[in-house]
Amino acid sequence: QRSLRHIASQKVPMDEWPSLMLELGRMHDRAVAIVATSLVEDAIGDLLLSRMRALSNTEVANLFGGDALLGSFLQKLDYAEL
């Protein structure tokens, strides 16, 4: 079983989601909410990146990092709705 810290700190490939869902079923509700939110945020970020031209790692960091234009979950969600 993976730790919450391990799950939340790494990008989970889509093919591992079914086994992750089983693990989440054994966790506390708060942990599930944190992990699920992180997975959704990653998926939205991936969706946004798939609709853009190819970006360098620096460009991705400048766009999605901390205080950047798409640095927060809400900012990603708002942009994805466009």
Side-chain angles (χ1 to χ4, degrees):
Q1 182 176 356
R2 293 175 271 201
S3 71
L4 175 60
R5 182 183 307 272
H6 174 78
I7 295 168
S9 68
Q10 296 189 3
K11 188 172 215 119
V12 178
M14 291 294 287
D15 63 329
E16 291 183 23
W17 280 37
S19 65
L20 178 61
M21 294 303 124
L22 292 174
E23 287 183 48
L24 290 176
R26 296 186 290 269
M27 293 182 176
H28 294 287
D29 291 347
R30 184 177 293 178
V32 172
I34 292 168
V35 172
T37 301
S38 177
L39 292 172
V40 170
E41 183 174 4
D42 284 348
I44 292 171
D46 289 346
L47 172 72
L48 293 173
L49 283 171
S50 75
R51 306 292 291 178
M52 298 177 184
R53 66 171 175 80
L55 301 175
S56 70
N57 290 340
T58 301
E59 290 172 319
V60 171
N62 289 338
L63 190 59
F64 290 94
D67 292 329
L69 177 64
L70 298 173
S72 76
F73 182 45
L74 181 59
Q75 290 165 316
K76 289 179 186 90
L77 190 58
D78 286 344
Y79 192 75
E81 289 180 341
L82 296 178

